[in-house]
Amino acid sequence: MEAPPPEARAIGGSPVRWVPPPGLVPADEEWMRFGLGLVAGRLDALRSGAGVVVVRVLAWEVPVLTDYQEEVAAAAVVECLRRHYGIDGVDIGVTFDPQGNRYRFTWDTSSRPARRGCGPDAAGR
């Protein structure tokens, strides 16, 4: 694609752009952007010529908000790209912390993008 659609958002300094689904809350948007940043180099490899790669997320549904953790948005977008498009190479570890009653994620830090405000903290969130 030569030029991304006007609603496309940048992922760091890469030529990969993404369009979030309608109604996405800011925290989920930031975590999805983080997840896409983890695979931006692999997506860039799909690019031909001087254009950009655009990832359009069509929908994001969280059926039960009771124990929802925002960082799941990053893991979900990475897993979706792996499963449906063969974009491999990102290791995401998940463990359950019974003391904190939450899941802890560990991210492949070799390709960690710069982030604004959200994203994994020192505790692995």
Side-chain angles (χ1 to χ4, degrees):
M1 173 177 278
E2 287 301 314
E7 69 273 18
R9 292 166 169 81
I11 298 174
S14 78
V16 177
R17 303 290 182 266
W18 79 292
V19 179
L24 192 66
V25 298
D28 287 342
E29 181 175 334
E30 190 66 21
W31 276 102
M32 277 190 191
R33 187 196 58 76
F34 173 79
L36 288 165
L38 291 174
V39 296
R42 291 158 189 90
L43 292 167
D44 182 29
L46 301 175
R47 190 168 58 100
S48 60
V52 297
V53 173
V54 176
V55 175
R56 186 177 300 269
V57 179
L58 300 177
W60 176 246
E61 184 176 317
V62 179
V64 180
L65 292 174
T66 308
D67 292 322
Y68 178 69
Q69 291 180 227
E70 297 156 343
E71 53 266 55
V72 168
V77 75
V78 168
E79 178 61 16
C80 179
L81 288 168
R82 185 196 65 74
R83 184 176 294 172
H84 297 287
Y85 300 101
I87 305 296
D88 283 329
V90 175
D91 293 324
I92 301 173
V94 181
T95 57
F96 184 71
D97 173 12
Q99 300 270 313
N101 193 32
R102 64 181 291 119
Y103 287 93
R104 300 287 178 193
F105 294 81
T106 54
W107 308 97
D108 174 8
T109 57
S110 65
S111 55
R112 179 176 289 175
R115 58 193 186 279
R116 304 177 314 260
C118 293
D121 60 21
R125 286 188 22 179

